[in-house]
Amino acid sequence: MVKVELKELKKTYEKSKVIAVDNLNLTINEGEFFTLLGPSGCGKTTTLRLIAGFEIPDEGKIFFGDEDVTYKKPYERGTAMVFQNYALWPHMTVFENVAYGLKVRKVSKEEINKRVTEVLELVKLKGMEKRYPNQLSGGQQQRVALARALVIKPRLLLLDEPLSNLDAKLRVEMREEIKRIQRELKITTIYVTHDQEEAMSISDRLAVMNAGKVLQVGTPEEVYFSPKNIFVASFFGKPNIIEAIYEGDDIASLDKGTKIKISKAEEGVTFAKGERIRILIRPEHIIPYERKEKISEFNIVKGKVVFKMFTGTMQELKVEIGENVFLYTLIPSDYKLEVGDTVGLQIPVERTLAFKAD
Ligand code: ADP
Ligand code: MG
């Protein structure tokens, strides 16, 4: 297992003149499950390809532990990569597909048999050795791709959107499988996805990327609860982002009448009186106000339900809390609320995050 350090990596593609990776700095710890998360085109695949050695950076360095691998050939790096489309050989059986990497490394037949059997057991494909890829389901093909990567005992596992060709249910199942296998082997893993839910559920830590840059690194909880900017915040779920005017003393007005208390999203940021700010409130952090004792650390606002969508255990309500100010809320369905009803809402102040407006 290995620690990976990316130092000021830069990669521009000649043809398109696109800066795909722009001064990227990251440290991935030994045995960590680390995810690169970001929209399509933000440079995730390029970053993985640089780590694997399929691309050479224009600037910057890549270290595996103390070893500078920046200019090493892919096969000298001890990494294995799993691609979105699996890239299995259709004319080879499961066994042959998995054994291939060992064959080219001139491993003995006996050792190949032992290791392929072991790894097929690990990915739960025992008994499928003689099948061809087209005789397997999408999930099983994904397991073969994973087995093929793991059989060479890489010190670093790279996974590029490995689940995006699977249907929703299988995706969740395979997500748990990948996590289980990673835990069992304790292998340093870098995972790429554009799916925020997948990233949060599978990762020890993740990096949110946009336009070749890393915007924030942290545990799933850190980036979800303490996003550093609106882009990162908006990447997770469907938050309310409300324009407001800063009134001083951590108070912001949403319109002429409605004032709420805010928390600063970033330490050290200051707002001037009268400055336009943006407030982030996640629908799931808004709770119906039940007129028990008044709790000072909550904002309490009143509004009218203007839209309701039933989603099973939860109902999504759009509530007008001020002149043209709306809050989307996600409230358990057992609260009987209908369009036209007046509702009281409480919002924890520490979940009322204020950002600069620009
Ligand atoms: P992601 O995996 O996050 O979708 P990529 O790393 O594939 O992003 O791409 C980053 C940027 O580099 C995109 O703008 C993409 O169009 C461009 N790009 C990727 N590969 C090439 C290539 N081989 N030649 C030219 N431009 C490329
Ligand atoms: Mg990609």
Side-chain angles (χ1 to χ4, degrees):
M1 305 314 104
V2 74
K3 173 179 165 179
V4 178
E5 272 183 284
L6 311 180
K7 293 191 172 168
E8 281 161 40
L9 276 192
K10 194 167 175 186
K11 176 73 190 174
T12 306
Y13 286 107
E14 286 295 325
K15 273 183 291 178
S16 57
K17 300 265 180 285
V18 173
I19 305 174
V21 172
D22 195 1
N23 267 315
L24 199 91
N25 286 292
L26 276 179
T27 302
I28 294 112
N29 298 316
E30 240 179 278
E32 190 169 43
F33 198 116
F34 192 94
T35 297
L36 303 175
L37 170 69
S40 177
C42 75
K44 305 181 296 293
T45 295
T46 305
T47 306
L48 267 201
R49 291 176 60 83
L50 287 166
I51 297 169
F54 302 135
E55 304 281 352
I56 301 296
D58 306 328
E59 290 169 33
K61 294 256 182 242
I62 301 171
F63 287 91
F64 289 180
D66 295 331
E67 186 186 343
D68 182 349
V69 298
T70 316
Y71 302 105
K72 294 223 158 132
K73 296 270 183 320
Y75 62 83
E76 296 171 324
R77 298 191 184 201
T79 65
M81 191 148 159
V82 174
F83 301 91
Q84 179 177 344
N85 58 8
Y86 321 141
L88 301 178
W89 291 290
H91 60 286
M92 288 187 195
T93 63
V94 167
F95 186 95
E96 289 162 347
N97 262 285
V98 177
Y100 185 80
L102 297 176
K103 255 190 194 158
V104 298
R105 283 172 176 78
K106 306 264 194 285
V107 176
S108 74
K109 214 166 168 190
E110 217 174 38
E111 176 75 9
I112 290 180
N113 274 331
K114 182 173 158 270
R115 278 169 64 178
V116 172
T117 305
E118 258 172 33
V119 79
L120 286 178
E121 201 153 312
L122 178 73
V123 301
K124 297 185 177 155
L125 280 180
K126 225 176 124 189
M128 304 271 177
E129 291 82 354
K130 296 208 171 91
R131 294 224 197 157
Y132 286 90
N134 66 6
Q135 298 170 313
L136 298 174
S137 70
Q140 288 167 334
Q141 290 181 39
Q142 186 52 258
R143 286 169 197 263
V144 178
L146 205 56
R148 197 176 54 176
L150 292 171
V151 80
I152 62 163
K153 300 201 168 150
R155 49 181 177 165
L156 176 63
L157 180 63
L158 305 170
L159 302 159
D160 192 359
E161 312 237 10
L163 305 183
S164 46
N165 285 354
L166 302 175
D167 66 50
K169 195 160 166 270
L170 249 182
R171 230 170 17 234
V172 173
E173 206 179 297
M174 278 308 291
R175 192 200 280 177
E176 286 168 17
E177 275 294 284
I178 290 176
K179 185 80 191 164
R180 171 187 68 81
I181 290 165
Q182 191 267 343
R183 281 220 187 94
E184 252 180 79
L185 301 177
K186 299 184 179 67
I187 183 171
T188 311
T189 300
I190 306 179
Y191 188 93
V192 159
T193 182
H194 64 270
D195 181 331
Q196 46 96 12
E197 197 196 308
E198 197 171 291
M200 289 209 280
S201 59
I202 207 168
S203 317
D204 295 324
R205 286 191 311 143
L206 53 88
V208 181
M209 288 181 69
N210 191 37
K213 289 190 156 73
V214 168
L215 301 185
Q216 188 167 352
V217 180
T219 64
E221 287 80 6
E222 281 164 358
V223 288
Y224 179 78
F225 287 117
S226 312
K228 284 218 167 99
N229 56 51
I230 293 277
F231 181 90
V232 172
S234 310
F235 214 80
F236 298 93
K238 282 194 294 182
N240 294 288
I241 294 166
I242 304 166
E243 304 278 335
I245 302 288
Y246 188 65
E247 302 280 1
D249 293 331
D250 292 345
I251 300 294
S253 55
L254 308 182
D255 68 0
K256 287 185 202 86
T258 320
K259 288 189 176 22
I260 61 173
K261 192 153 195 246
I262 52 111
S263 296
K264 283 166 187 144
E266 265 197 290
E267 267 176 61
V269 172
T270 53
F271 303 122
K273 238 181 190 176
E275 183 178 337
R276 277 179 51 244
I277 60 172
R278 291 162 92 186
I279 298 172
L280 173 108
I281 301 168
R282 295 196 185 279
E284 58 273 33
H285 293 154
I286 302 170
I287 321 156
Y289 175 50
E290 290 182 281
R291 292 186 194 78
K292 288 178 190 151
E293 78 276 29
K294 191 171 166 128
I295 314 164
S296 59
E297 63 270 35
F298 284 95
N299 282 307
I300 293 164
V301 295
K302 213 167 86 175
K304 203 165 106 180
V305 179
V306 295
F307 176 77
K308 168 179 160 168
M309 200 162 73
F310 177 71
T311 66
T313 52
M314 304 299 265
Q315 52 192 332
E316 198 180 304
L317 302 175
K318 184 179 180 184
V319 180
E320 185 165 20
I321 58 162
E323 209 180 302
N324 262 316
V325 184
F326 300 93
L327 269 185
Y328 283 90
T329 68
L330 207 57
I331 290 176
S333 298
D334 47 353
Y335 285 93
K336 295 281 168 252
L337 289 164
E338 299 300 334
V339 171
D341 286 355
T342 299
V343 60
L345 299 172
Q346 51 182 12
I347 312 158
V349 172
E350 85 263 22
R351 301 280 175 250
T352 308
L353 292 183
F355 295 85
K356 292 258 176 199
D358 47 304

Short mmCIF file of all heavy atoms in Angstrom, two decimals, residues 208-246:
data_model
loop_
_atom_site.label_atom_id
_atom_site.label_comp_id
_atom_site.label_asym_id
_atom_site.label_seq_id
_atom_site.Cartn_x
_atom_site.Cartn_y
_atom_site.Cartn_z
N VAL A 208 -13.43 17.76 -4.23
CA VAL A 208 -14.39 18.30 -5.20
C VAL A 208 -13.59 19.11 -6.22
O VAL A 208 -12.82 19.99 -5.85
CB VAL A 208 -15.45 19.19 -4.52
CG1 VAL A 208 -16.45 19.70 -5.55
CG2 VAL A 208 -16.17 18.42 -3.42
N MET A 209 -13.76 18.75 -7.50
CA MET A 209 -13.01 19.42 -8.57
C MET A 209 -13.92 20.21 -9.49
O MET A 209 -15.07 19.85 -9.68
CB MET A 209 -12.27 18.36 -9.43
CG MET A 209 -11.10 17.70 -8.75
SD MET A 209 -10.28 16.52 -9.86
CE MET A 209 -9.56 17.61 -11.08
N ASN A 210 -13.37 21.27 -10.05
CA ASN A 210 -14.04 21.98 -11.13
C ASN A 210 -12.98 22.65 -12.00
O ASN A 210 -12.02 23.21 -11.47
CB ASN A 210 -15.01 23.04 -10.58
CG ASN A 210 -15.90 23.59 -11.69
OD1 ASN A 210 -16.31 22.86 -12.59
ND2 ASN A 210 -16.19 24.87 -11.62
N ALA A 211 -13.14 22.55 -13.31
CA ALA A 211 -12.24 23.18 -14.27
C ALA A 211 -10.77 22.93 -13.95
O ALA A 211 -9.96 23.85 -13.93
CB ALA A 211 -12.53 24.69 -14.34
N GLY A 212 -10.42 21.67 -13.69
CA GLY A 212 -9.03 21.29 -13.50
C GLY A 212 -8.45 21.60 -12.13
O GLY A 212 -7.29 21.32 -11.87
N LYS A 213 -9.28 22.20 -11.27
CA LYS A 213 -8.78 22.60 -9.95
C LYS A 213 -9.52 21.86 -8.83
O LYS A 213 -10.69 21.50 -8.99
CB LYS A 213 -9.01 24.10 -9.75
CG LYS A 213 -8.12 24.99 -10.58
CD LYS A 213 -8.27 26.43 -10.09
CE LYS A 213 -7.08 27.28 -10.42
NZ LYS A 213 -6.96 27.63 -11.83
N VAL A 214 -8.82 21.69 -7.71
CA VAL A 214 -9.46 21.13 -6.53
C VAL A 214 -10.05 22.29 -5.72
O VAL A 214 -9.35 23.24 -5.38
CB VAL A 214 -8.44 20.36 -5.67
CG1 VAL A 214 -9.03 20.04 -4.30
CG2 VAL A 214 -8.04 19.07 -6.37
N LEU A 215 -11.35 22.22 -5.45
CA LEU A 215 -12.00 23.30 -4.70
C LEU A 215 -12.02 23.03 -3.20
O LEU A 215 -11.99 23.95 -2.39
CB LEU A 215 -13.43 23.49 -5.19
CG LEU A 215 -13.60 23.83 -6.66
CD1 LEU A 215 -15.05 24.12 -6.96
CD2 LEU A 215 -12.74 25.04 -7.03
N GLN A 216 -12.13 21.76 -2.83
CA GLN A 216 -12.16 21.42 -1.41
C GLN A 216 -11.84 19.95 -1.23
O GLN A 216 -12.26 19.11 -2.03
CB GLN A 216 -13.55 21.73 -0.82
CG GLN A 216 -13.61 21.58 0.69
CD GLN A 216 -14.87 22.19 1.30
OE1 GLN A 216 -15.64 22.86 0.61
NE2 GLN A 216 -15.08 21.95 2.58
N VAL A 217 -11.10 19.67 -0.17
CA VAL A 217 -10.78 18.28 0.19
C VAL A 217 -11.27 18.05 1.61
O VAL A 217 -11.10 18.90 2.47
CB VAL A 217 -9.25 18.04 0.16
CG1 VAL A 217 -8.93 16.59 0.54
CG2 VAL A 217 -8.69 18.36 -1.21
N GLY A 218 -11.88 16.91 1.85
CA GLY A 218 -12.32 16.62 3.22
C GLY A 218 -13.06 15.31 3.29
O GLY A 218 -13.21 14.61 2.29
N THR A 219 -13.51 14.97 4.49
CA THR A 219 -14.37 13.80 4.64
C THR A 219 -15.72 14.16 4.03
O THR A 219 -16.04 15.35 3.88
CB THR A 219 -14.57 13.44 6.12
OG1 THR A 219 -15.26 14.53 6.75
CG2 THR A 219 -13.25 13.18 6.83
N PRO A 220 -16.54 13.15 3.71
CA PRO A 220 -17.87 13.47 3.18
C PRO A 220 -18.64 14.41 4.10
O PRO A 220 -19.29 15.35 3.64
CB PRO A 220 -18.54 12.09 3.10
CG PRO A 220 -17.41 11.14 2.85
CD PRO A 220 -16.25 11.69 3.65
N GLU A 221 -18.54 14.19 5.42
CA GLU A 221 -19.25 15.06 6.37
C GLU A 221 -18.75 16.50 6.29
O GLU A 221 -19.53 17.44 6.33
CB GLU A 221 -19.09 14.54 7.82
CG GLU A 221 -19.87 13.29 8.14
CD GLU A 221 -19.19 12.01 7.65
OE1 GLU A 221 -18.03 12.09 7.15
OE2 GLU A 221 -19.82 10.94 7.73
N GLU A 222 -17.43 16.65 6.19
CA GLU A 222 -16.86 18.01 6.15
C GLU A 222 -17.34 18.78 4.92
O GLU A 222 -17.75 19.94 5.04
CB GLU A 222 -15.32 17.94 6.15
CG GLU A 222 -14.74 17.71 7.53
CD GLU A 222 -13.28 17.26 7.50
OE1 GLU A 222 -12.71 17.09 6.40
OE2 GLU A 222 -12.74 17.07 8.59
N VAL A 223 -17.29 18.16 3.76
CA VAL A 223 -17.69 18.92 2.57
C VAL A 223 -19.20 19.13 2.53
O VAL A 223 -19.68 20.13 2.00
CB VAL A 223 -17.21 18.29 1.24
CG1 VAL A 223 -15.72 18.46 1.08
CG2 VAL A 223 -17.61 16.86 1.12
N TYR A 224 -19.94 18.21 3.14
CA TYR A 224 -21.40 18.36 3.14
C TYR A 224 -21.84 19.45 4.13
O TYR A 224 -22.64 20.32 3.79
CB TYR A 224 -22.06 17.02 3.50
CG TYR A 224 -23.56 17.06 3.55
CD1 TYR A 224 -24.30 17.03 2.37
CD2 TYR A 224 -24.24 17.12 4.76
CE1 TYR A 224 -25.68 17.06 2.41
CE2 TYR A 224 -25.62 17.14 4.80
CZ TYR A 224 -26.34 17.11 3.63
OH TYR A 224 -27.70 17.15 3.67
N PHE A 225 -21.33 19.39 5.33
CA PHE A 225 -21.77 20.34 6.36
C PHE A 225 -21.02 21.66 6.32
O PHE A 225 -21.54 22.68 6.75
CB PHE A 225 -21.64 19.72 7.77
CG PHE A 225 -22.66 18.66 8.05
CD1 PHE A 225 -22.29 17.35 8.29
CD2 PHE A 225 -24.02 18.98 8.07
CE1 PHE A 225 -23.24 16.37 8.55
CE2 PHE A 225 -24.98 18.01 8.33
CZ PHE A 225 -24.59 16.70 8.57
N SER A 226 -19.78 21.66 5.84
CA SER A 226 -18.99 22.89 5.83
C SER A 226 -18.40 23.17 4.46
O SER A 226 -17.17 23.25 4.31
CB SER A 226 -17.86 22.80 6.86
OG SER A 226 -18.36 22.35 8.09
N PRO A 227 -19.24 23.35 3.45
CA PRO A 227 -18.70 23.65 2.13
C PRO A 227 -18.01 25.00 2.14
O PRO A 227 -18.45 25.92 2.81
CB PRO A 227 -19.94 23.67 1.23
CG PRO A 227 -21.08 23.99 2.15
CD PRO A 227 -20.72 23.37 3.48
N LYS A 228 -16.91 25.08 1.39
CA LYS A 228 -16.12 26.32 1.39
C LYS A 228 -16.67 27.36 0.43
O LYS A 228 -16.32 28.53 0.51
CB LYS A 228 -14.67 26.01 0.99
CG LYS A 228 -13.89 25.37 2.09
CD LYS A 228 -12.45 25.89 2.08
CE LYS A 228 -11.70 25.54 3.33
NZ LYS A 228 -10.84 24.38 3.15
N ASN A 229 -17.45 26.93 -0.55
CA ASN A 229 -18.05 27.89 -1.46
C ASN A 229 -19.35 27.34 -2.02
O ASN A 229 -19.69 26.17 -1.80
CB ASN A 229 -17.06 28.28 -2.58
CG ASN A 229 -16.57 27.07 -3.33
OD1 ASN A 229 -17.37 26.24 -3.78
ND2 ASN A 229 -15.27 26.93 -3.44
N ILE A 230 -20.05 28.20 -2.75
CA ILE A 230 -21.38 27.84 -3.25
C ILE A 230 -21.31 26.68 -4.24
O ILE A 230 -22.17 25.82 -4.27
CB ILE A 230 -22.05 29.07 -3.91
CG1 ILE A 230 -22.34 30.13 -2.85
CG2 ILE A 230 -23.30 28.69 -4.68
CD1 ILE A 230 -23.60 29.96 -2.06
N PHE A 231 -20.23 26.64 -5.05
CA PHE A 231 -20.11 25.54 -6.01
C PHE A 231 -20.09 24.19 -5.30
O PHE A 231 -20.82 23.27 -5.64
CB PHE A 231 -18.85 25.70 -6.88
CG PHE A 231 -18.71 24.60 -7.89
CD1 PHE A 231 -19.26 24.73 -9.15
CD2 PHE A 231 -18.07 23.40 -7.57
CE1 PHE A 231 -19.17 23.71 -10.09
CE2 PHE A 231 -17.97 22.37 -8.50
CZ PHE A 231 -18.52 22.52 -9.76
N VAL A 232 -19.24 24.09 -4.29
CA VAL A 232 -19.15 22.83 -3.53
C VAL A 232 -20.49 22.54 -2.86
O VAL A 232 -20.99 21.42 -2.90
CB VAL A 232 -18.01 22.90 -2.48
CG1 VAL A 232 -18.03 21.68 -1.58
CG2 VAL A 232 -16.65 23.01 -3.19
N ALA A 233 -21.07 23.57 -2.26
CA ALA A 233 -22.35 23.39 -1.57
C ALA A 233 -23.41 22.87 -2.52
O ALA A 233 -24.16 21.95 -2.20
CB ALA A 233 -22.79 24.72 -0.97
N SER A 234 -23.46 23.45 -3.72
CA SER A 234 -24.51 23.10 -4.67
C SER A 234 -24.30 21.71 -5.25
O SER A 234 -25.22 21.13 -5.82
CB SER A 234 -24.55 24.09 -5.83
OG SER A 234 -24.57 25.39 -5.33
N PHE A 235 -23.10 21.20 -5.13
CA PHE A 235 -22.80 19.90 -5.69
C PHE A 235 -23.46 18.79 -4.89
O PHE A 235 -23.67 17.69 -5.37
CB PHE A 235 -21.29 19.69 -5.75
CG PHE A 235 -20.90 18.89 -6.94
CD1 PHE A 235 -20.80 19.50 -8.18
CD2 PHE A 235 -20.67 17.53 -6.84
CE1 PHE A 235 -20.48 18.76 -9.30
CE2 PHE A 235 -20.34 16.79 -7.96
CZ PHE A 235 -20.25 17.40 -9.19
N PHE A 236 -23.78 19.06 -3.64
CA PHE A 236 -24.38 18.05 -2.78
C PHE A 236 -25.85 18.35 -2.52
O PHE A 236 -26.18 19.35 -1.90
CB PHE A 236 -23.63 17.96 -1.45
CG PHE A 236 -22.20 17.55 -1.65
CD1 PHE A 236 -21.21 18.50 -1.78
CD2 PHE A 236 -21.85 16.22 -1.76
CE1 PHE A 236 -19.89 18.13 -1.99
CE2 PHE A 236 -20.55 15.83 -1.98
CZ PHE A 236 -19.56 16.80 -2.09
N GLY A 237 -26.73 17.52 -3.04
CA GLY A 237 -28.15 17.69 -2.83
C GLY A 237 -28.69 18.89 -3.58
O GLY A 237 -28.12 19.34 -4.57
N LYS A 238 -29.85 19.41 -3.12
CA LYS A 238 -30.49 20.55 -3.77
C LYS A 238 -30.70 21.66 -2.75
O LYS A 238 -31.79 21.86 -2.25
CB LYS A 238 -31.86 20.10 -4.33
CG LYS A 238 -31.76 19.32 -5.63
CD LYS A 238 -33.13 19.22 -6.29
CE LYS A 238 -34.08 18.36 -5.44
NZ LYS A 238 -35.40 18.20 -6.05
N PRO A 239 -29.63 22.37 -2.41
CA PRO A 239 -29.77 23.35 -1.33
C PRO A 239 -30.55 24.61 -1.76
O PRO A 239 -30.59 24.94 -2.94
CB PRO A 239 -28.32 23.72 -1.02
CG PRO A 239 -27.58 23.48 -2.28
CD PRO A 239 -28.27 22.33 -2.95
N ASN A 240 -31.15 25.28 -0.77
CA ASN A 240 -31.69 26.62 -0.99
C ASN A 240 -30.51 27.58 -0.99
O ASN A 240 -29.66 27.53 -0.10
CB ASN A 240 -32.61 27.02 0.17
CG ASN A 240 -33.85 26.16 0.23
OD1 ASN A 240 -34.74 26.28 -0.60
ND2 ASN A 240 -33.92 25.28 1.23
N ILE A 241 -30.47 28.46 -1.99
CA ILE A 241 -29.47 29.54 -1.97
C ILE A 241 -30.23 30.84 -2.09
O ILE A 241 -30.89 31.11 -3.10
CB ILE A 241 -28.45 29.35 -3.10
CG1 ILE A 241 -27.64 28.07 -2.83
CG2 ILE A 241 -27.51 30.55 -3.18
CD1 ILE A 241 -26.83 27.56 -3.98
N ILE A 242 -30.21 31.61 -1.02
CA ILE A 242 -31.07 32.80 -0.92
C ILE A 242 -30.21 34.06 -0.90
O ILE A 242 -29.23 34.14 -0.16
CB ILE A 242 -31.92 32.72 0.38
CG1 ILE A 242 -32.71 31.41 0.39
CG2 ILE A 242 -32.87 33.90 0.49
CD1 ILE A 242 -33.29 31.10 1.75
N GLU A 243 -30.60 35.02 -1.71
CA GLU A 243 -29.92 36.32 -1.71
C GLU A 243 -30.39 37.10 -0.48
O GLU A 243 -31.57 37.05 -0.13
CB GLU A 243 -30.33 37.13 -2.96
CG GLU A 243 -30.07 36.42 -4.27
CD GLU A 243 -28.64 36.56 -4.73
OE1 GLU A 243 -27.98 37.54 -4.33
OE2 GLU A 243 -28.17 35.67 -5.48
N ALA A 244 -29.47 37.79 0.17
CA ALA A 244 -29.86 38.54 1.37
C ALA A 244 -28.94 39.74 1.54
O ALA A 244 -27.95 39.88 0.84
CB ALA A 244 -29.77 37.63 2.59
N ILE A 245 -29.32 40.61 2.46
CA ILE A 245 -28.49 41.78 2.78
C ILE A 245 -27.98 41.62 4.21
O ILE A 245 -28.75 41.30 5.12
CB ILE A 245 -29.31 43.09 2.69
CG1 ILE A 245 -29.92 43.27 1.29
CG2 ILE A 245 -28.47 44.30 3.10
CD1 ILE A 245 -28.92 43.62 0.20
N TYR A 246 -26.68 41.81 4.39
CA TYR A 246 -26.10 41.69 5.72
C TYR A 246 -26.39 42.95 6.54
O TYR A 246 -26.17 44.07 6.08
CB TYR A 246 -24.58 41.48 5.62
CG TYR A 246 -23.95 41.17 6.94
CD1 TYR A 246 -24.28 39.98 7.61
CD2 TYR A 246 -23.05 42.04 7.53
CE1 TYR A 246 -23.71 39.69 8.84
CE2 TYR A 246 -22.48 41.75 8.76
CZ TYR A 246 -22.82 40.57 9.41
OH TYR A 246 -22.26 40.28 10.63
#
